[in-house]
Amino acid sequence: MAEKPKSIKKNYIYNLIYQILLVVAPLIVTPYVSRVLQPTGIGIQSYSASIVSYFTLVAVLGTATFGQKAIGTLQTEAEARSRQFWEIFLVRLITTVVSALFYILYVFVLVPDNAIVALIFGIQLLGTIVDISWFFQGMEEFGKISLSSIFFRIANIVCIFLFVKTADDLNLYVFFSVIFIVGANLSLWLYLPKYLVKVKRIRPFRDIKDVLQLFIPSVAVQIYTVLDKSMIGWLTEGSAENGYYEQAEKVVKMALSVVSSLGTVVMPRIAQKFKQGDDEAVKFYIYKLYRCIMLAGVPMAFGLIVISDVFVPVFFGSGYEKCIPLLCIFSLLTIFIGLNSITNSQYLVPTNRQNVFTVIVIIGAVVNCALNAVLIPLFQAIGACIASVIGEFVVMLAGFLYVWKKKLFAISPIFKTSVKYWIAAIIMFVPLFFIKKVMPVNVIGLIALIAIGVVVYFLMLLILRDELFLELLKKMFGKIGKLFKREKVAVENDSSLAEQEAAVADAQAQSDTVAEEDASQSGPASADGERSDGGAEGVAPAAEKSSVIPPQT
């Protein structure tokens, strides 16, 4: 029996809700946690999370990516799909147990301080065993993953506000963050039985070569994205510097989730066009994505710089003043990472250039690591921030250099089409710089600054007649117009229906009047005893006739 095709629309809606929650949740939790745990508590949590991520990397190996691809090709083959699942699961079970043993050794030998926090994070490491989200991703059952994640994330937020009250509750905060992740993973097992059948001859290491090939680039990405936090912990005294770095990076990640998500939905289309050999269509979509990134990334960079000294005290509270210069430096990542996501994830990967992508990421990791070693001892968290920005810039240059050398597409249009965004962003920056000096440093003042910045930027794009912005406006208002048109038609239909019902009611009243008159005329004959049966029969035809009188509208 053929399986029912997956609903792309439903998957999109579930994923959209989850992505919105990923952005909204930090906006709700971060201001509270920052004030309760203070920079030192945040730094301990950040550093411990970076360390456990290395052990988790070994535990996962390359099974997540491999599993998603393998299960995706076996969606309609129950036996092969089940065998593949248990083989991947057993590989992950073995690698996680080995990794956990080394992690326990690390905790008891090298972590005399904050050992409890490290042990709690060990629960997350062991939870890797029960993480089968890769299976449901391969089956395209994104709804189940999203609903589970949404439920447990909301539960996590509620528990944090109820039970985390002081800086001494750091262990509790970490426990909630970890246990609800494991809970979300465990909940997926409830859906699993209907997708699996009994199988024999399971060979766990049959695909180990393919798994290890996917493990190598994941190591490069991990080093590239997490090593800075670990090196801050190794090369500085105390945990506060990591706390400053973590919070500033968190704000930029929230902005990046908006910028980078613009191109995610286009990736399958690019892969499809590349497979069909339609290079012109591939270039069309790529240039459109680059332009979307610049449309959103440039004003975000300027906006974060100009409002950083208002945003930090309002959002994080007192004690986080060092986040202000970090946020200013990090703001450049909204442009660099946005462009890199298009070149690497949206172009090189869909066009089967995964090896090139891996080399580029390794180059960025090496540069980042080398600069961290030099700059962190000198400038602490600011040094790590500078290293991260330069690393992303090198990745951007490497990607563009490869594209230019191979003559895959021209680079100059990317920057020529973004000139209007730079002009609009600079003009937005100037009034905000002076207005913030007279605005109160509170939530209302911050919201007002953001609103003014958005309005000025959009007005400048209208004045400059930017084609992409006008196109997006046209589509947005077109959809709103269609919505109002549908509602107007619905109202008109309701009015017409009401008029018809009223007409029918009037006609019925008229027919009742006619029937009563006929009955009164035949009444005396019955009273005199003349043809009483026939009189009764004489009334019925009159009533039947009147009941079919057409409505008089």
Side-chain angles (χ1 to χ4, degrees), residues 70-214:
I71 297 300
T73 62
L74 301 172
Q75 287 186 4
T76 58
E77 303 174 37
E79 184 175 346
R81 179 179 68 215
S82 302
R83 182 177 291 105
Q84 188 74 74
F85 169 81
W86 288 114
E87 289 175 350
I88 295 172
F89 174 78
L90 288 174
V91 169
R92 181 174 285 199
L93 174 64
I94 295 169
T95 55
T96 301
V97 170
V98 172
S99 182
L101 291 174
F102 280 101
Y103 183 73
I104 293 172
L105 182 65
Y106 157 79
V107 171
F108 286 105
V109 174
L110 300 176
V111 190
D113 299 325
N114 308 316
I116 296 178
V117 172
L119 285 174
I120 295 173
F121 271 115
I123 300 173
Q124 179 177 315
L125 174 59
L126 290 174
T128 304
I129 298 173
V130 297
D131 179 11
I132 54 172
S133 57
W134 51 269
F135 176 82
F136 289 96
Q137 288 169 350
M139 292 298 297
E140 296 184 60
E141 293 289 357
F142 297 100
K144 292 179 173 60
I145 301 172
S146 297
L147 289 176
S148 175
S149 300
I150 289 169
F151 174 79
F152 283 95
R153 185 170 286 270
I154 292 174
N156 180 33
I157 294 173
V158 172
C159 287
I160 288 173
F161 279 104
L162 287 178
F163 301 107
V164 179
K165 300 296 184 181
T166 68
D168 295 331
D169 295 327
L170 173 62
N171 294 342
L172 205 55
Y173 169 71
V174 174
F175 176 76
F176 288 143
S177 301
V178 166
I179 203 65
F180 284 112
I181 292 175
V182 177
N185 292 335
L186 281 171
S187 67
L188 293 177
W189 285 77
L190 298 174
Y191 304 109
L192 190 62
K194 79 172 191 176
Y195 295 97
L196 302 181
V197 297
K198 292 183 178 180
V199 292
K200 298 178 180 179
R201 297 190 301 274
I202 295 175
R203 295 182 295 162
F205 295 98
R206 176 167 57 96
D207 300 306
I208 193 64
K209 183 178 179 181
D210 295 330
V211 170
L212 289 175
Q213 286 178 343
L214 292 170

